Amino acid sequence: MIKLLAKIFLKRQEAGSAGEREAYGILCGLVGICLNLLLSAGKFLAGTLSGSIAITADAFNNLSDAGSSLVTMVGFKLAGAKPDSKHPFGHGRIEYVSGLIVSAIILLMAFELLKTSVEKIIHPEEVDFSFAAILILAVSILVKLYMAFYNRRIGERIRSAAMRATSVDSFSDAAATGVVLVSAIVSKTAGIGIDGWCGAAVSIFIFYAGISAARETLNPLLGQPPEPEFVEEIERIVMEYKEIRGIHDLIVHDYGPGRVMVSLHAEVSAQGDILILHDVIDNAEQKIREKMKCEAVIHMDPVITRDPVALKLKQQVYELVRQIDEKMSIHDFRVVAGPTHTNLIFDVVVPFRYRMSDEEVEKIIEIKVKEQMGTEYTTVIQVDKSYTG
């Protein structure tokens, strides 16, 4: 159904464009609202006729899902607004905010359902499940699995955390409705009343879905490392230029889906023609914009490439640092020789939450340099953190 609707309503949208992203978000939101309202009405009717708190709880869960789809749809619409003087990087993060609101709605509904289910456990009532109620639950499971499938597929296509969270929510709903279906079958065939317990199980499923959805949307708001594939592709594009010897200090600034800025340092020969090298950097920036659909700023970092002494010292320090930890790396290496000692100036990159403090890292490198390379060498170290995970 989604594929057919996309062909009808999205045929004028360019693949990979912000317009396609917004259109897919609105389309999936509308479909989600319609399907969830139908499921909620059917389950509410079945729950009322049978007196089942578990089915009624599931009906209100679907009603909250319809509200969530509405919030997501509005979020996509607002996120698609063009940049303005007060928001020069656009409004893309509104999509994450809408996802967070959806998570809050899910968690609130889970709490209310858990409270009602506990009351039903304490004060159980007779439940009369009908064949129609069981059929409605079975159809609901199939519909929710379909919704989980298309939300996941579209979410991956447009790289949307909000839609991936909606997919997780739909899959959790299918599992929760499965629990209710088991309750109905057990009650009808064995006469064992587990309705309140199944309602509690449904609420726990919804809690889990809400927490998962919150994590999916809160992390990009706070700032998270970019996907490894994205980093690898940036590195591949930049390193295609033979004049660029290496890159470091790669930072990805995420201002919302489709609004990403990349900054990095590109190492070039200090002996090269600055005008030619500047042209190379400009070309690399433009290629990133075209292929990755994001803004790019590259800082040109001159490095010594023809001094055999400096190159040998750099290699020695690199191997020494790798002895301490293979996750460490160095860059911006310079040598300043004096009459009594030689300064080795460089940056060392360590992971976040490393077992040693920055001061301890500096100290152990200094000690090893003097032990393995000579006491005439003094280290001047800047400790960096990797922003790409």
Side-chain angles (χ1 to χ4, degrees), residues 225-237:
E227 295 292 333
E229 296 79 12
F230 183 87
V231 174
E232 290 170 6
E233 184 63 14
I234 293 290
E235 292 176 346
R236 188 193 65 76
I237 291 172

Side-chain angles (χ1 to χ4, degrees), residues 243 245 267-277 300-308 310-311 333:
E243 293 87 355
R245 307 301 179 91
E267 297 175 353
V268 296
S269 173
Q271 291 78 36
D273 187 312
I274 190 169
L275 294 178
I276 294 176
L277 294 175
M300 189 165 58
D301 236 353
V303 295
I304 301 297
T305 58
R306 298 179 186 175
D307 185 341
L311 292 175
F333 188 88

Side-chain angles (χ1 to χ4, degrees), residues 174-338:
T177 304
V179 173
V180 179
L181 180 59
V182 170
S183 167
I185 294 173
V186 170
S187 177
K188 191 166 185 66
T189 57
I192 302 173
I194 57 172
D195 185 50
W197 293 101
C198 286
V202 169
S203 67
I204 292 172
F205 272 117
I206 299 171
F207 262 121
Y208 175 77
I211 292 171
S212 297
R215 190 183 298 115
E216 278 276 334
T217 53
L218 188 58
N219 284 341
L221 277 174
L222 294 175
Q224 63 183 3
E227 295 292 333
E229 296 79 12
F230 183 87
V231 174
E232 290 170 6
E233 184 63 14
I234 293 290
E235 292 176 346
R236 188 193 65 76
I237 291 172
V238 175
M239 294 305 295
E240 283 181 352
Y241 297 89
K242 65 179 186 300
E243 293 87 355
I244 297 177
R245 307 301 179 91
I247 68 171
H248 57 267
D249 289 347
L250 172 60
I251 303 176
V252 179
H253 311 266
D254 185 354
Y255 294 100
R259 293 167 178 81
V260 175
M261 294 188 66
V262 174
S263 63
L264 61 94
H265 289 208
E267 297 175 353
V268 296
S269 173
Q271 291 78 36
D273 187 312
I274 190 169
L275 294 178
I276 294 176
L277 294 175
H278 187 272
D279 188 58
V280 169
I281 296 298
D282 281 347
N283 290 337
E285 289 175 341
Q286 185 59 32
K287 198 165 187 179
I288 290 174
R289 293 189 191 102
E290 292 174 355
K291 286 197 170 185
M292 306 302 290
K293 307 297 182 186
C294 63
E295 291 299 315
V297 177
I298 301 179
H299 172 76
M300 189 165 58
D301 236 353
V303 295
I304 301 297
T305 58
R306 298 179 186 175
D307 185 341
V309 175
L311 292 175
K312 182 180 179 181
L313 290 171
K314 179 181 179 180
Q315 184 61 30
Q316 286 179 295
V317 172
Y318 173 76
E319 292 174 357
L320 181 150
V321 166
R322 298 279 288 180
Q323 289 173 15
I324 299 170
D325 196 315
E326 292 186 353
K327 295 179 180 178
M328 289 186 185
S329 61
I330 64 170
H331 58 81
D332 282 349
F333 188 88
R334 288 173 290 151
V335 179
V336 179

